[in-house]
Amino acid sequence: MEDTIEFAVHTGDRRTAMEAAGSALRTAGHRVEALPGSITATSGNRVLTTLLGAMVHLSREYRRYEVVVSTTGCRSFLTLRHAGHGTAVAGGSIGATRRRARWQQVTSSVEGALRSAGVLVGRVDRAQ
């Protein structure tokens, strides 16, 4: 299963890329904490998700993502990855299906925000 995606962005627009990603995550209902070069986005309730698994309402399902920007040579990458893996196990196959669906929604919204901002060069999916 995919759990990391790298978006190649214009090197001169790293800050714009991070702002666009943060905005997309906020719009998707996440609480966003931004530090220089990274973003942590969370939503839902971790305890409820762990205790109730697939029975927890989607609006309260715990999700956590990290976004990090890095530059290698003349290329910059915005890396989006899951930061909380245990919740899919708590929900069994239903939790895993929900996790995949939310992952696709989040990656699509971040990619759309980067495209709209005009900073996206490409996308690389990575399974870890």
Side-chain angles (χ1 to χ4, degrees), residues 15-96:
R15 184 180 189 149
T16 303
M18 289 296 280
E19 289 171 359
S23 177
L25 290 165
R26 270 188 216 91
T27 301
H30 294 82
R31 291 176 302 281
V32 174
E33 295 177 35
L35 297 170
S38 71
I39 293 174
T40 301
T42 57
S43 68
N45 185 309
R46 185 178 204 153
V47 174
L48 279 178
T49 303
T50 301
L51 291 175
L52 300 176
M55 293 174 28
V56 72
H57 190 274
L58 285 174
S59 66
R60 295 189 179 263
E61 185 178 63
Y62 179 75
R63 292 181 306 278
R64 183 169 182 225
Y65 303 103
E66 291 177 345
V67 180
V68 179
V69 67
S70 60
T71 302
T72 305
C74 62
R75 294 189 175 226
S76 290
F77 293 95
L78 195 83
T79 304
L80 172 65
R81 70 176 141 267
H82 282 284
H85 298 285
T87 57
V89 175
S93 64
I94 294 171

Side-chain angles (χ1 to χ4, degrees), residues 72-126:
T72 305
C74 62
R75 294 189 175 226
S76 290
F77 293 95
L78 195 83
T79 304
L80 172 65
R81 70 176 141 267
H82 282 284
H85 298 285
T87 57
V89 175
S93 64
I94 294 171
T97 300
R98 283 183 174 183
R99 181 176 184 253
R100 260 191 304 277
R102 292 291 185 185
W103 175 247
Q104 290 171 351
Q105 290 173 348
V106 166
T107 58
S108 294
S109 68
V110 169
E111 183 175 1
L114 294 173
R115 279 190 198 284
S116 294
V119 297
L120 183 65
V121 175
R123 170 182 162 158
V124 179
D125 298 335
R126 299 198 191 273

